[in-house]
Amino acid sequence: MTDTNLAKLAFKFKLEPNGEQRRFFSRTAGCTRFVYNHLLFKCREDFREYLEEIDSRQSNGEALNRDEAKKLSFRPLCYKCITGLNYLLPDLRKEYPFLQECPAQTLQQKAQDLMSAYHRFFEGKGGLQKLKKKALHNSFRFPQGFELDEDRKKIWLPKLGWVKYRKSRNIFGKPKNVTVSLNHGDWYISVQTEFELKPLIQELNFNTAVGIDMGVVRFATLSDENYIPSLKDRLNPVYEKIEKLQRRLSRKKKDSKRYIKLRIKLSKLHKKLTDVRYDYLQKESTRLVKNHDIICVEDLKVKNMTKSAKGTIEEPGSQA
């Protein structure tokens, strides 16, 4: 049972690893991705064999509803496969010696991620899981065994040692786990902390409450008649550069040297878009938090708000 008095917060920092540490990160991410895909493939194979058994029973004249059997048996079959990973890990590490180079807890965490994904799938909150790709999925998590030294701006990771990071702010709360991830060629850590919420609620000043109305022309409008302007003026020049490079890329031979150079330039431009948005959101949210103790935001999807303006092929919108 979860404690409603506890809240969680994440602090993300950029790492400054050396060459050996970068190689360790890449190997660990590859090992965890391999275990995730191996387990997911095993679950699919077991379920495929189960469906073949159902088909053979039906062909022999047995009265068995395939849809009911799938609904009733897919859940325990997947759970049995996933929960058995802790027992399979020693055998997997013997069968694939390269798995011994990374901490075992990172492999166990990937198995728990797959279990959580199946939970969301059975509850109707997400789709069925797909195999992870090297170009998109490079992350792993340490639930314990790490140590944070904010004064020295270093973090201790199991089987690796101390790694430098760029300290942009102090960490608030008790660290519970650390996630290492790769983003456009740079490694980052995300430290999740836990703290008590009740003392903070008691210090709130309800007279400083403000409401936020998300918009399209304006990024957001506040209840005190102020507003946050859109980011289009800062993003449009970057979008224009991306369009030019994409046109040049379409004329290059795939996997050639010039093709790869343009791909790297495009990746850097997309990272710039992400950094501009992130910087803008962090600055505006910090300004709001410093001036208001209570902030209310409506639960809307901006994508649905702009869908009518974009339109379709049959019925183009105002921005088509």
Side-chain angles (χ1 to χ4, degrees), residues 228-241:
I228 302 174
S230 175
L231 257 176
K232 286 186 177 180
D233 294 338
R234 296 176 59 183
L235 295 179
N236 284 340
V238 185
Y239 279 125
E240 292 176 359
K241 292 181 181 179

Side-chain angles (χ1 to χ4, degrees), residues 27 32 36 48 73 87 114 122 131 146 160 200-201 203 206 219 227 285 302 308 310:
R27 289 196 302 268
T32 55
Y36 184 96
R48 189 178 294 110
S73 301
Y87 303 100
L114 185 57
F122 290 125
L131 298 175
F146 62 91
L160 181 61
L200 297 179
I201 296 178
E203 298 177 0
F206 290 90
F219 182 78
Y227 69 91
S285 60
V302 180
S308 59
K310 185 177 181 181

